[in-house]
Amino acid sequence: AQSVTQLGSHVSVSEGALVLLRCNYSSSVPPYLFWYVQYPNQGLQLLLKYTTGATLVKGINGFEAEFKKSETSFHLTKPSAHMSDAAEYFCAVSARQAGTALIFGKGTTLSVSS
Amino acid sequence: DGGITQSPKYLFRKEGQNVTLSCEQNLNHDAMYWYRQDPGQGLRLIYYSQIVNDFQKGDIAEGYSVSREKKESFPLTVTSAQKNPTAFYLCASSTTGDNSPLHFGNGTRLTVT
């Protein structure tokens, strides 16, 4: 079975500071991993995904994430936060079976102050 | 533009009434999903469907029902048996490739009083 744990329900940073959102996963098979962003009262938008190959994955809006198998982690980072990055972020894992649903973490709310 | 349409955006019902949430997609995706979102609990899977006329229960299917009569449509009915129906409901779709990301609609916020 798959599961996802996001460490920290709230993260606050200053504009221009490093953003680090933590995600650890549990999976009985090599996982596919995803990060999504959600703005208030909207659906989720895909930021990036890891399937196979290069373990450092670049996504939209300057975000990237690194798959570390030894640490079962897939942390999301951005070198310099912008006010528009304030949102809720979800990490998700796939069971690697076609058409099956993603398993989501509980989310981390990112606040950015000026 | 292709996408997923959920309607209405806000829905209010009295306790004891069934209510149906609409989800339509024009992405030609085979798979569709319903998730429920509550503050601090992330997204929890209610039902999903990989093909027309077939669907599977997710983790919290009790008190909900779905149908998949057309590829484009996957309506969710919240029945009076659902003990705590007030929530934000998200519909999603994907291709059936095993690394396919989900595409989400903008959600329906249901309030039951």
Side-chain angles (χ1 to χ4, degrees):
Chain A
Q2 284 72 32
S3 67
V4 172
T5 301
Q6 291 185 241
L7 301 175
S9 58
H10 288 87
V11 171
S12 297
V13 300
S14 299
E15 195 171 21
L18 172 71
V19 175
L20 171 61
L21 304 182
R22 300 178 187 272
C23 173
N24 287 91
Y25 69 90
S26 173
S27 179
S28 55
V29 297
Y32 293 148
L33 295 159
F34 304 80
W35 275 101
Y36 283 84
V37 61
Q38 183 183 35
Y39 299 100
N41 293 313
Q42 293 188 22
L44 277 68
Q45 178 184 3
L46 180 68
L47 278 176
L48 49 82
K49 68 176 183 179
Y50 168 78
T51 54
T52 57
T55 57
L56 182 62
V57 181
K58 295 188 185 299
I60 62 172
N61 302 338
F63 284 94
E64 60 184 37
E66 187 171 10
F67 171 63
K68 291 187 176 181
K69 183 179 178 181
S70 61
E71 298 177 8
T72 61
S73 69
F74 191 56
H75 302 332
L76 182 71
T77 61
K78 183 174 180 177
S80 176
H82 192 273
M83 297 293 285
S84 61
D85 295 327
E88 190 161 18
Y89 292 80
F90 293 93
C91 182
V93 63
S94 167
R96 296 197 81 171
Q97 292 178 314
T100 58
L102 298 185
I103 307 299
F104 286 86
K106 294 188 175 182
T108 297
T109 299
L110 175 66
S111 299
V112 182
S113 58
S114 57
Chain B
D1 285 339
I4 300 177
T5 302
Q6 290 188 242
S7 60
K9 187 158 183 69
Y10 298 95
L11 191 53
F12 299 88
R13 281 294 182 270
K14 294 291 188 185
E15 193 173 325
Q17 295 178 335
N18 292 354
V19 59
T20 297
L21 282 59
S22 170
C23 178
E24 303 278 335
Q25 56 100 358
N26 61 3
L27 298 167
N28 199 33
H29 286 168
D30 286 309
M32 296 188 74
Y33 312 81
W34 275 104
Y35 286 90
R36 169 180 171 142
Q37 185 177 15
D38 297 282
Q41 296 201 44
L43 279 70
R44 293 181 291 169
L45 182 66
I46 305 173
Y47 270 98
Y48 65 102
S49 168
Q50 299 177 11
I51 197 168
V52 173
N53 292 322
D54 188 42
F55 47 82
Q56 289 77 40
K57 293 182 178 180
D59 299 320
I60 56 165
E62 185 175 351
Y64 299 97
S65 65
V66 294
S67 62
R68 187 88 187 275
E69 298 177 0
K70 299 186 300 181
K71 185 176 183 178
E72 302 80 16
S73 178
F74 192 41
L76 173 74
T77 296
V78 184
T79 75
S80 57
Q82 168 50 234
K83 293 185 179 1
N84 186 18
T86 295
F88 190 52
Y89 291 88
L90 287 160
C91 179
S93 70
S94 73
T95 63
T96 51
D98 64 356
N99 64 358
S100 299
L102 302 185
H103 298 257
F104 283 86
N106 281 329
T108 292
R109 188 166 297 280
L110 172 65
T111 302
V112 177
T113 58

